[in-house]
Amino acid sequence: MPVDAPSIKVAAVRRLGADLEQTGTTTIERKARAEEILAERGGTMVPPFDHPHIIAGQGTAGLEIVEQLTEAAARSGSDAPTRPSLVIVPIGGGGLVSGVAAAIRALTPEAEVVGVEPEGAPKMTRSLEAGHPITLDRVDTVADGLKPVRPGDLTFLHTAELVDRVVTVDDDAIREAVLWCYGQRLVVEPSGAATIAALMSGRVKSAPDGPTVAVLSGGNLDPEILRAWLAPG
């Protein structure tokens, strides 16, 4: 894990009994150290996002979106659309948006898929502009889960082919979204609330003709950060 990982995530990993090592601040530094450990001890590397199995696993969220909308309509007896019109997904390294987009494209090809990343870590935005994966010199955002400095090679290709567009949101919008979610009794970390930030800030408009789905991809919200953001002023 990075040396600046939120304390709540570090504590959770230790509580589960993992042998935890913190190194560097970027995915590139952690990958290099993980490869050293692999060479020293053996084992299997589980990539965070840039692998077909990881992308496929993340894609089950897309399957669940379609399944649950269909089930909800059946229970209610409603004639409302049973397929999403718009699906909004956070982008870190790109595994989640790649998998969800693949599933949505297969099941509901007419739906729009939008990715969201922080203004302070626009690695996918810059890569799409360049036409190939690029590495950012630095990142700076409250959304620690969306801080990779480079998208994966596979996730870049998935995003370029399957995602309609990628937008960015600033940290103020992310904070506001976290607090809005908390007001709805949803504990969502900044990275997971980026999709709500895109809607609340107007960077993405809700679909006028069917369900809009925002993927909230994590609940590791540091209580101290939440208290600070809730404090008057």
Side-chain angles (χ1 to χ4, degrees):
M1 299 179 74
V3 294
D4 58 354
S7 59
I8 189 172
K9 294 185 178 182
V10 172
V13 169
R14 287 185 170 142
R15 186 169 60 249
L16 290 169
D19 181 5
L20 174 62
E21 179 166 336
Q22 293 179 257
T23 183
T25 58
T26 69
T27 48
I28 293 173
E29 291 170 306
R30 291 196 296 283
K31 183 173 185 290
R33 178 57 187 139
E35 288 171 344
E36 291 176 357
I37 294 172
L38 196 67
E40 294 166 2
R41 307 182 191 176
T44 300
M45 176 81 81
V46 181
F49 48 79
D50 202 33
H51 190 282
H53 292 170
I54 302 297
I55 293 171
Q58 303 264 25
T60 59
L63 299 179
E64 290 174 10
I65 288 168
V66 175
E67 289 172 358
Q68 290 179 18
L69 283 172
T70 302
E71 291 168 0
R75 285 196 304 271
S76 66
S78 169
D79 293 329
T82 59
R83 299 295 177 94
S85 292
L86 169 63
V87 180
I88 313 169
V89 190
I91 295 181
L96 180 61
V97 75
S98 295
V100 169
I104 296 297
R105 285 282 166 264
L107 298 174
T108 314
E110 68 277 9
E112 183 181 13
V113 180
V114 177
V116 183
E117 58 185 356
E119 285 186 359
K123 84 299 294 178
M124 190 67 79
T125 298
R126 297 291 177 263
S127 295
L128 292 170
E129 291 170 351
H132 57 82
I134 62 98
T135 302
L136 299 176
D137 293 331
R138 62 186 296 273
V139 292
D140 182 15
T141 175
V142 296
D144 68 282
L146 307 184
K147 286 173 64 174
V149 295
R150 183 186 190 279
D153 295 325
L154 288 176
T155 61
F156 169 78
L157 294 173
H158 271 71
T159 303
E161 181 178 351
L162 302 174
V163 177
D164 292 284
R165 57 195 172 100
V166 175
V167 302
T168 60
V169 291
D170 63 30
D171 278 0
D172 286 342
I174 291 173
R175 289 188 190 95
E176 185 178 352
V178 168
L179 295 177
W180 182 88
C181 289
Y182 185 71
Q184 314 307 309
R185 292 182 168 80
L186 292 171
V187 177
V188 183
E189 66 185 87
S191 302
T195 52
I196 298 297
L199 287 167
M200 292 179 66
S201 66
R203 299 307 304 272
V204 178
K205 303 293 186 183
S206 296
D209 56 352
T212 292
V213 178
V215 177
L216 309 181
S217 61
N220 294 301
L221 177 58
D222 190 324
E224 293 303 320
I225 290 176
L226 178 60
R227 269 192 284 272
W229 289 357
L230 286 169

